[in-house]
Tab-separated table of all heavy atoms in Angstrom:
chain	number	residue	atom	x	y	z
A	36	ARG	N	9.464	20.467	-12.992
A	36	ARG	CA	8.784	21.115	-14.109
A	36	ARG	C	8.544	22.615	-13.851
A	36	ARG	O	8.663	23.439	-14.764
A	36	ARG	CB	7.450	20.412	-14.374
A	36	ARG	CG	6.621	21.003	-15.499
A	36	ARG	CD	7.306	20.873	-16.854
A	36	ARG	NE	7.507	19.495	-17.227
A	36	ARG	CZ	6.627	18.736	-17.891
A	36	ARG	NH1	5.468	19.278	-18.248
A	36	ARG	NH2	6.897	17.505	-18.205
A	37	VAL	N	8.175	22.968	-12.621
A	37	VAL	CA	7.803	24.367	-12.342
A	37	VAL	C	8.884	25.093	-11.539
A	37	VAL	O	8.622	26.169	-10.989
A	37	VAL	CB	6.450	24.430	-11.588
A	37	VAL	CG1	5.366	23.732	-12.385
A	37	VAL	CG2	6.554	23.821	-10.190
A	38	TYR	N	10.085	24.539	-11.509
A	38	TYR	CA	11.160	25.077	-10.677
A	38	TYR	C	11.331	26.585	-10.824
A	38	TYR	O	11.434	27.314	-9.830
A	38	TYR	CB	12.473	24.362	-11.023
A	38	TYR	CG	13.669	24.852	-10.247
A	38	TYR	CD1	13.947	24.357	-8.976
A	38	TYR	CD2	14.521	25.819	-10.779
A	38	TYR	CE1	15.050	24.801	-8.261
A	38	TYR	CE2	15.625	26.272	-10.074
A	38	TYR	CZ	15.877	25.759	-8.809
A	38	TYR	OH	16.958	26.209	-8.097
A	39	HIS	N	11.355	27.069	-12.049
A	39	HIS	CA	11.644	28.489	-12.285
A	39	HIS	C	10.467	29.396	-11.945
A	39	HIS	O	10.609	30.629	-11.963
A	39	HIS	CB	12.069	28.700	-13.733
A	39	HIS	CG	13.364	28.030	-14.074
A	39	HIS	ND1	14.575	28.442	-13.566
A	39	HIS	CD2	13.630	26.938	-14.843
A	39	HIS	CE1	15.542	27.669	-14.010
A	39	HIS	NE2	15.002	26.749	-14.791
A	40	HIS	N	9.329	28.812	-11.631
A	40	HIS	CA	8.173	29.612	-11.235
A	40	HIS	C	8.009	29.672	-9.712
A	40	HIS	O	7.092	30.323	-9.214
A	40	HIS	CB	6.896	29.035	-11.853
A	40	HIS	CG	6.908	29.027	-13.343
A	40	HIS	ND1	6.660	30.157	-14.104
A	40	HIS	CD2	7.157	28.028	-14.221
A	40	HIS	CE1	6.756	29.850	-15.390
A	40	HIS	NE2	7.048	28.565	-15.489
A	41	LEU	N	8.879	28.990	-8.990
A	41	LEU	CA	8.794	28.941	-7.530
A	41	LEU	C	9.731	29.953	-6.900
A	41	LEU	O	10.805	30.251	-7.427
A	41	LEU	CB	9.159	27.537	-7.022
A	41	LEU	CG	8.299	26.377	-7.537
A	41	LEU	CD1	8.910	25.047	-7.113
A	41	LEU	CD2	6.868	26.494	-7.012
A	42	THR	N	9.335	30.474	-5.762
A	42	THR	CA	10.226	31.341	-4.996
A	42	THR	C	11.256	30.471	-4.280
A	42	THR	O	11.043	29.263	-4.099
A	42	THR	CB	9.443	32.148	-3.962
A	42	THR	OG1	8.914	31.242	-2.972
A	42	THR	CG2	8.312	32.932	-4.619
A	43	PRO	N	12.376	31.044	-3.857
A	43	PRO	CA	13.358	30.257	-3.093
A	43	PRO	C	12.746	29.603	-1.856
A	43	PRO	O	13.096	28.470	-1.514
A	43	PRO	CB	14.420	31.295	-2.720
A	43	PRO	CG	14.340	32.308	-3.817
A	43	PRO	CD	12.885	32.396	-4.160
A	44	GLU	N	11.852	30.289	-1.204
A	44	GLU	CA	11.218	29.726	-0.007
A	44	GLU	C	10.346	28.526	-0.372
A	44	GLU	O	10.345	27.514	0.338
A	44	GLU	CB	10.369	30.786	0.692
A	44	GLU	CG	11.162	31.937	1.304
A	44	GLU	CD	11.666	32.943	0.266
A	44	GLU	OE1	11.159	32.912	-0.886
A	44	GLU	OE2	12.573	33.725	0.596
A	45	GLU	N	9.605	28.628	-1.464
A	45	GLU	CA	8.768	27.509	-1.899
A	45	GLU	C	9.622	26.308	-2.286
A	45	GLU	O	9.282	25.157	-1.973
A	45	GLU	CB	7.902	27.945	-3.083
A	45	GLU	CG	6.798	28.919	-2.707
A	45	GLU	CD	6.092	29.505	-3.911
A	45	GLU	OE1	6.722	29.627	-4.994
A	45	GLU	OE2	4.897	29.857	-3.785
A	46	ARG	N	10.730	26.570	-2.934
A	46	ARG	CA	11.625	25.470	-3.313
A	46	ARG	C	12.126	24.734	-2.082
A	46	ARG	O	12.149	23.494	-2.049
A	46	ARG	CB	12.804	26.018	-4.112
A	46	ARG	CG	12.438	26.577	-5.464
A	46	ARG	CD	13.631	27.277	-6.097
A	46	ARG	NE	13.259	27.975	-7.323
A	46	ARG	CZ	14.051	28.823	-7.960
A	46	ARG	NH1	15.268	29.096	-7.478
A	46	ARG	NH2	13.635	29.415	-9.066
A	47	GLU	N	12.531	25.476	-1.085
A	47	GLU	CA	13.073	24.841	0.116
A	47	GLU	C	12.014	24.020	0.848
A	47	GLU	O	12.307	22.943	1.375
A	47	GLU	CB	13.669	25.901	1.047
A	47	GLU	CG	14.960	26.511	0.534
A	47	GLU	CD	16.015	25.454	0.230
A	47	GLU	OE1	16.290	24.622	1.122
A	47	GLU	OE2	16.538	25.441	-0.895
A	48	ARG	N	10.807	24.514	0.885
A	48	ARG	CA	9.723	23.766	1.551
A	48	ARG	C	9.468	22.441	0.843
A	48	ARG	O	9.296	21.398	1.483
A	48	ARG	CB	8.448	24.603	1.577
A	48	ARG	CG	8.480	25.767	2.565
A	48	ARG	CD	7.243	26.630	2.421
A	48	ARG	NE	6.004	25.852	2.631
A	48	ARG	CZ	4.802	26.296	2.298
A	48	ARG	NH1	4.668	27.483	1.718
A	48	ARG	NH2	3.750	25.546	2.537
A	49	ILE	N	9.464	22.462	-0.487
A	49	ILE	CA	9.231	21.230	-1.242
A	49	ILE	C	10.406	20.275	-1.079
A	49	ILE	O	10.220	19.058	-0.886
A	49	ILE	CB	8.994	21.559	-2.727
A	49	ILE	CG1	7.721	22.384	-2.879
A	49	ILE	CG2	8.892	20.275	-3.554
A	49	ILE	CD1	7.524	22.951	-4.272
Side-chain angles (χ1 to χ4, degrees):
R36 179 65 62 88
V37 303
Y38 179 84
H39 295 291
H40 299 281
L41 301 172
T42 67
E44 293 76 15
E45 289 171 331
R46 293 172 187 169
E47 289 305 308
R48 287 174 58 194
I49 296 170

